[in-house]
Amino acid sequence: VTDFNYDKIIMPSEVCRSLDALCSRRADGSLYLSWAPLLPPEMADQLLHRMAAMGLLSDRTVGIFRNCKELRLRRAFIRSCSVSAQAFRLALCPHRLQELDASWIPSDITGASIIAGLASNPECRSSLQRLSLNGLHLDYESLGEDGGARVGFSSLQGLRTLNLAHTNLTDAILKDICSLPQLENLDISCSTVSDLTALLECRNTLRSLVAHRLRQLDMSAARLIFVLSQLHALRHLDFSDDHFGDETVRQLLEGSPQVLPALVSLDVSGRKRITEAALRAFVEARSGLLFLGLLATGVSSCDVVTSHKNLKVTGEANESQICEALRRYNERECFVREALVHLYNMTTDIDKPRPDILKLVLSGMQSHFTSLHIQLVATACVFNLTTQDLAEAMPVHLLSSTVTQLLYAMMNFPNHQQVQKNCLLALCSDYILQDVPFDKYLAAKLVMNWLSTHEDPTLQRMAVAVISILVAKLSTEETSQLGNDIFIMKQLLGIVQQKAMAGVVDTTLKFALSALWNLTDETPTAARHFIQCQGLELYEEVLESYHTESSIQQKVLGLLNNIAEVEELQGELMEEDLVEHILSLLQDSQMEVGVRYFAGGMLAQLASRPEAWTLDDELRTTILEQLHASIMTWTRPEREMVSYRSFRPFCPLLQTSQPSGVQLWAAWAIHLVCSQNTTHYGSMLQKEGVIDLLKALAADSDTHSDIKRLSETILSMVE
C-alpha cells in the first residue's frame, strides 16, 4: 500500500508479495506497515485471508494488524496458520470482529485463549456473530473470571454461529453455549459430548444443528428424539455417521409428522437401519424438504427421492447424488472416500470431458492429502477423467493443480505401488507433459525413484516415456541438478543395456536413449557420470548392433555430440575404432541425413581442437575433408530433427580460424533449426553473439564460398 489515492492502492496479493519491502520491524520482531491509508474493512479482511492462503501468516507477519485504526478487520481468517496466543491477542483481539475462523491452528493456541482474548474486548463481546474453532483443544477449565463472572462462550453474547467440530467439547461446555441468547447454528461434530439435553435451552433460536459422528453420545433413542422434537426453530439437522446403525434415526423417520415438521434439510448419511417405507413417509409428510443426506444408507435410489425434482440428495444412485456428496462432505474423509469409490465406477467408460467433476476430485485430494484411502481412489478417478483426449478439453489451470496434487500423492506414498501406478498412468499424457505447467523437475525425480523399484514392462515403458519428455522440458539448471544424481544415469543405462542384450527395438529403448541424450545436454556432470557408468562402451555396442536402425543411431550419436562438446571429456572419445566408425557413417550416402548430421557434429567438435587431437593426423585431415564434401550433399529434412537450448557449443566452431569443414557443419546446423523456427532461434543467435560470428565469417576473405553463402542466408533469415 503506497498511495493515499484508493485508485492506486496495491491489492492484497501484491502486498503479500512485497511484505518485507513495505514493512518495518518492531523490537519484538513483528512487522508493521511503514505507511498505510485508512482501508475499507473488506480490503483488510482480504489482505489477512490472502496472507493465510499463501502461508505467510505467522507471529511476525500478523503484527501488521496491530494497527487497527487503518487496517480494520471484521471477518478474520487464520485457519491452519501458526499464530501463537499472544500474537493473536495483540493483533486480532483489538478489532471489532464480526467473524473469526481460527480452526485447525497448529500452534499452542487453545479455544480458551481465543475466548479470553475476544472477551477482553468489550466490543467483540457483542459484535462477534460467527466463531469457528474446529480441531482445537478447548482447555476450558483454564478460563478465569472477569468482574465476578466466569469467562466462557456465554461471554460472547452476539454469537449466532459456533463451529466446534473435532474438539473436546463436554456436556458442561455445551450447557454454557446453549445459554447464548441468539445462537442459531451449532456444529459439534466428532466432539466428546455425551448428552444433548442442554439444547433445550436454545429451542426457540437454534435453526441448524450439525452433530456428525458423536461417538460418545449416551442417550436413549426416546430421550434424544424428545430433545429434537422440542427444537421448534430447527430447520437443518445433520445426524450422520460413517458406520453406525442407530435406532434414533429409524425412529425419527418412522415417527410422528409433528416431530420437526418444518425441517428443510436432514442428513443421515452412513446410518444403516433405514427402510424405504420410513424414508417415503418422512419425505411425504414434509413438503418443504430441500436436502437429504443418504450416502451409504442403501436407500438413495428410493423412488420418492429420485422423483422429487426440488430435492438435493447425497447418495450413490446417480451422478448427481455422488457429486453432491463430494461437494457437501469435502472435510469428511469417510464420506469423500465412499463417494469417490462410486465415482470411479461411474467414470470408467466416460467419453466426455467433465472439468466440473475433476474439480470435485481435486478438492477432495487437497483436503485429505495424508489419507491413503482417498489418494488411492482419487488418483484412479483422475486417470479416468483425463485419459486419452479428455485432458485437452480441461482448463489448463485445473490440470496444473491436479498434476501438482498427483505429485504430492507420489511424495506422500512412495512405497504404495497402486498409488504410484495411478499417478504414472495419469501423467502419461503427451498433452499434459507438453502443454500443462507444473514442477517438471520434481516429477522427473519422482518417476525416476519409482522406476528404480519396478520392472513391469508396460509401466517401465510409460515411466521412461514420461522421463524422456520431462527432461527435455527442464531448464539447463534443472537438467544439471538432475544430472548430478548418478543413480538416475545408472537406471537409464541399465534399461538400455537390458534392451540391447535382448536385441529389441521398442519405445522403451527409444525413450531411454532420448532421456539420456537430453540429460547430458550442456550438463558436463551428467556427461562425466555417463563415462563413469561405462556408458561409452555400451553405446559403441549399440551403434554396432543397431546399424540398420537410424532412429536408434541418431539418439546414440546425439548423446556422443554432447560428450564431444565438453572439452575435458573429448579425450574419452579419442578411440581410433570409434572415430573411424563414426566417419564411415558420415560418408555413407545411403544413411539418413539425421545419422550423418550427428556423426558430423561429433567429428567437427573433435577436429576443431588440434591441440587435443591424439590420433593420427591423417585421420583428422580426412575427417575435415569429408565433413565439407558430405555436408554439401545433404538435403534439409522436412520434419524437425533436432532442437537446441543454446548455440554456445557452436561458437568455437564458427571462429574464422577453424577449418571449413568444422565451420560448415556449425553453419548448416544453425540454418537447419532457423529454417524451422526463425523467431525463436533468431533471438537466441542475437543474445549469444552468434550473429557477430556469422558476420565475421561472411566478411572474411579467407572464408570458403560455401560458408559465406550459408552465413549470409542465415543473416537474411534473421533480419
Side-chain angles (χ1 to χ4, degrees), residues 539-548 553 556-557 560 573 575-588 591 595 599-600 602-603 615 619 623:
Y539 267 43
E540 289 181 48
E541 293 174 12
V542 172
L543 274 178
E544 294 281 352
S545 305
Y546 292 89
H547 61 277
T548 60
Q553 290 195 317
V556 169
L557 291 168
L560 295 181
L573 299 174
E575 295 179 16
E576 191 166 337
D577 289 344
L578 173 62
V579 173
E580 287 183 345
H581 181 72
I582 303 296
L583 177 59
S584 71
L585 296 177
L586 172 70
Q587 295 171 308
D588 190 346
M591 279 287 176
V595 175
M602 173 184 157
L603 295 173
L615 302 178
L619 178 59
I623 288 171

Side-chain angles (χ1 to χ4, degrees), residues 104 119 162 170 177 261 286 333 468 568 585 657 705:
W104 305 104
L162 182 58
T170 64
I177 291 168
R286 292 162 180 81
E333 180 182 344
S468 173
E568 61 265 33
L585 296 177
S657 58
S705 59

Side-chain angles (χ1 to χ4, degrees), residues 279-297:
L279 180 64
R280 184 177 291 105
F282 184 86
V283 173
E284 290 176 348
R286 292 162 180 81
S287 58
L289 208 58
L290 299 175
F291 169 73
L292 268 177
L294 298 174
L295 182 68
T297 60

Side-chain angles (χ1 to χ4, degrees), residues 247-430:
E247 273 297 300
T248 303
V249 172
R250 186 185 65 79
Q251 291 185 26
L252 176 64
L253 293 178
E254 294 178 351
S256 168
Q258 300 307 311
V259 177
L260 302 176
L263 212 60
V264 297
S265 167
L266 175 66
D267 197 333
V268 290
S269 288
R271 303 287 186 175
K272 305 297 184 186
R273 298 178 188 174
I274 300 176
T275 64
E276 289 194 8
L279 180 64
R280 184 177 291 105
F282 184 86
V283 173
E284 290 176 348
R286 292 162 180 81
S287 58
L289 208 58
L290 299 175
F291 169 73
L292 268 177
L294 298 174
L295 182 68
T297 60
V299 295
S300 64
S301 58
C302 178
D303 57 355
V304 73
V305 171
T306 55
S307 63
H308 202 309
K309 292 183 179 179
N310 296 325
L311 188 63
K312 290 195 173 185
V313 180
T314 60
E316 56 275 347
N318 52 47
E319 177 193 302
S320 175
Q321 291 185 4
I322 295 169
C323 290
E324 189 68 28
L326 288 171
R327 269 189 292 271
R328 288 186 180 255
Y329 301 141
N330 184 258
E331 294 189 2
R332 297 182 184 177
E333 180 182 344
C334 55
F335 290 159
V336 172
R337 183 176 70 240
E338 180 79 19
L340 286 172
V341 169
H342 294 290
L343 180 68
Y344 172 75
N345 294 328
M346 186 187 75
T347 56
T348 302
D349 299 315
I350 194 168
D351 58 358
K352 293 181 180 178
R354 295 297 304 271
D356 55 329
I357 296 180
L358 181 60
K359 191 173 181 179
L360 292 173
V361 175
L362 174 61
S363 180
M365 293 179 74
Q366 291 170 332
S367 296
H368 305 280
F369 59 89
T370 60
S371 168
L372 171 60
H373 297 296
I374 285 183
Q375 298 302 317
L376 179 60
V377 188
T379 51
C381 290
V382 168
F383 172 67
N384 282 353
L385 292 163
T386 58
T387 189
Q388 298 177 352
D389 298 330
L390 296 176
E392 295 183 35
M394 299 285 186
V396 173
H397 68 87
L398 176 60
L399 283 176
S400 179
S401 298
T402 302
V403 173
T404 298
Q405 209 58 44
L406 291 175
L407 299 183
Y408 287 156
M410 293 183 77
M411 283 192 294
N412 290 335
F413 304 100
N415 301 317
H416 196 282
Q417 184 167 344
Q418 193 60 50
V419 169
Q420 297 288 318
K421 180 179 177 180
N422 291 350
C423 294
L424 185 60
L425 285 166
L427 281 174
C428 200
S429 156
D430 193 57

Side-chain angles (χ1 to χ4, degrees), residues 647-668:
F647 286 129
R648 281 186 289 271
F650 289 69
C651 293
L653 310 185
L654 292 170
Q655 301 298 321
T656 54
S657 58
Q658 287 287 4
S660 66
V662 172
Q663 295 170 338
L664 185 60
W665 182 87
W668 198 92

Side-chain angles (χ1 to χ4, degrees), residues 86-330:
Q86 182 181 12
F88 169 77
R89 180 184 285 267
L90 290 172
L92 300 186
C93 291
H95 295 268
R96 194 174 186 275
L97 296 178
Q98 296 172 1
E99 297 180 11
L100 171 65
D101 187 345
S103 300
W104 305 104
I105 293 180
S107 67
D108 61 349
I109 202 166
T110 63
S113 57
I114 289 175
I115 294 166
L118 294 170
S120 67
N121 180 351
E123 287 190 318
C124 262
R125 285 177 175 248
S126 59
S127 67
L128 192 69
Q129 298 178 27
R130 183 183 183 92
L131 178 61
S132 296
L133 302 179
N134 298 328
L136 297 191
H137 176 63
L138 296 181
D139 192 27
Y140 213 66
E141 60 277 4
S142 68
L143 287 168
E145 294 186 354
D146 181 22
R150 185 176 178 81
V151 174
F153 285 109
S154 57
S155 305
L156 307 173
Q157 289 283 291
L159 274 181
R160 294 177 181 271
T161 298
L162 182 58
N163 298 316
L164 296 172
H166 298 274
T167 64
N168 57 328
L169 177 69
T170 64
D171 297 345
I173 303 173
L174 181 62
K175 187 175 181 180
D176 181 47
I177 291 168
C178 291
S179 68
L180 288 165
Q182 302 181 73
L183 186 65
E184 296 179 353
N185 308 292
L186 179 62
D187 185 350
I188 55 174
S189 301
C190 303
S191 67
T192 53
V193 69
S194 64
D195 191 332
L196 300 183
T197 303
L199 294 175
L200 294 173
E201 294 297 316
C202 51
R203 70 183 76 190
N204 295 320
T205 61
L206 193 65
R207 296 177 55 82
S208 172
L209 174 64
V210 182
H212 165 70
R213 206 179 185 190
L214 295 184
R215 291 294 169 79
Q216 296 189 36
L217 193 62
D218 186 18
M219 298 176 72
S220 67
R223 177 61 180 168
L224 186 52
I225 288 178
F226 169 76
V227 171
L228 294 175
S229 70
Q230 298 302 302
L231 303 180
H232 305 306
L234 200 65
R235 298 293 180 270
H236 308 274
L237 174 61
D238 182 343
F239 207 63
S240 57
D241 207 316
D242 56 351
H243 66 259
F244 275 3
D246 190 88
E247 273 297 300
T248 303
V249 172
R250 186 185 65 79
Q251 291 185 26
L252 176 64
L253 293 178
E254 294 178 351
S256 168
Q258 300 307 311
V259 177
L260 302 176
L263 212 60
V264 297
S265 167
L266 175 66
D267 197 333
V268 290
S269 288
R271 303 287 186 175
K272 305 297 184 186
R273 298 178 188 174
I274 300 176
T275 64
E276 289 194 8
L279 180 64
R280 184 177 291 105
F282 184 86
V283 173
E284 290 176 348
R286 292 162 180 81
S287 58
L289 208 58
L290 299 175
F291 169 73
L292 268 177
L294 298 174
L295 182 68
T297 60
V299 295
S300 64
S301 58
C302 178
D303 57 355
V304 73
V305 171
T306 55
S307 63
H308 202 309
K309 292 183 179 179
N310 296 325
L311 188 63
K312 290 195 173 185
V313 180
T314 60
E316 56 275 347
N318 52 47
E319 177 193 302
S320 175
Q321 291 185 4
I322 295 169
C323 290
E324 189 68 28
L326 288 171
R327 269 189 292 271
R328 288 186 180 255
Y329 301 141
N330 184 258

Side-chain angles (χ1 to χ4, degrees), residues 466-673:
V466 169
I467 292 165
S468 173
I469 295 172
L470 288 174
V471 172
K473 292 288 184 180
L474 300 181
S475 67
T476 303
E477 293 74 19
E478 289 172 327
T479 306
S480 181
Q481 280 183 285
L482 206 60
N484 287 338
D485 190 347
I486 196 170
F487 166 78
I488 292 176
M489 184 65 67
K490 288 179 178 177
Q491 288 295 313
L492 292 171
L493 285 173
I495 292 170
V496 173
Q497 186 172 34
Q498 178 190 53
K499 297 295 179 180
M501 288 176 65
V504 298
V505 179
D506 61 9
T507 53
T508 303
L509 173 61
K510 291 179 180 179
F511 280 129
L513 291 171
S514 294
L516 285 162
W517 183 4
N518 288 320
L519 193 62
T520 53
D521 184 21
E522 294 195 54
T523 313
T525 303
R528 289 188 200 94
H529 287 163
F530 176 83
I531 302 291
Q532 291 170 17
C533 295
Q534 284 75 53
L536 189 56
E537 292 84 345
L538 174 61
Y539 267 43
E540 289 181 48
E541 293 174 12
V542 172
L543 274 178
E544 294 281 352
S545 305
Y546 292 89
H547 61 277
T548 60
E549 297 290 338
S550 60
S551 63
I552 301 294
Q553 290 195 317
Q554 283 188 47
K555 296 177 191 301
V556 169
L557 291 168
L559 183 141
L560 295 181
N561 271 248
N562 292 341
I563 304 291
E565 289 171 5
V566 184
E567 289 186 358
E568 61 265 33
L569 295 180
Q570 288 178 349
E572 302 287 346
L573 299 174
M574 292 291 181
E575 295 179 16
E576 191 166 337
D577 289 344
L578 173 62
V579 173
E580 287 183 345
H581 181 72
I582 303 296
L583 177 59
S584 71
L585 296 177
L586 172 70
Q587 295 171 308
D588 190 346
S589 60
Q590 301 302 311
M591 279 287 176
E592 286 189 14
V593 171
V595 175
R596 301 177 76 189
Y597 170 82
F598 289 112
M602 173 184 157
L603 295 173
Q605 288 287 354
L606 295 181
S608 68
R609 298 179 65 233
E611 71 277 11
W613 184 263
T614 59
L615 302 178
D616 186 75
D617 286 341
E618 287 186 17
L619 178 59
R620 179 173 178 268
T621 301
T622 302
I623 288 171
L624 293 173
E625 291 172 353
Q626 289 301 313
L627 271 171
H628 198 127
S630 297
I631 293 169
M632 293 306 297
T633 67
W634 295 351
T635 55
R636 197 181 77 200
E638 292 182 6
R639 62 180 179 81
E640 186 177 3
M641 189 175 69
V642 66
S643 61
Y644 290 104
R645 291 174 177 164
S646 164
F647 286 129
R648 281 186 289 271
F650 289 69
C651 293
L653 310 185
L654 292 170
Q655 301 298 321
T656 54
S657 58
Q658 287 287 4
S660 66
V662 172
Q663 295 170 338
L664 185 60
W665 182 87
W668 198 92
I670 292 171
H671 182 263
L672 171 67
V673 294

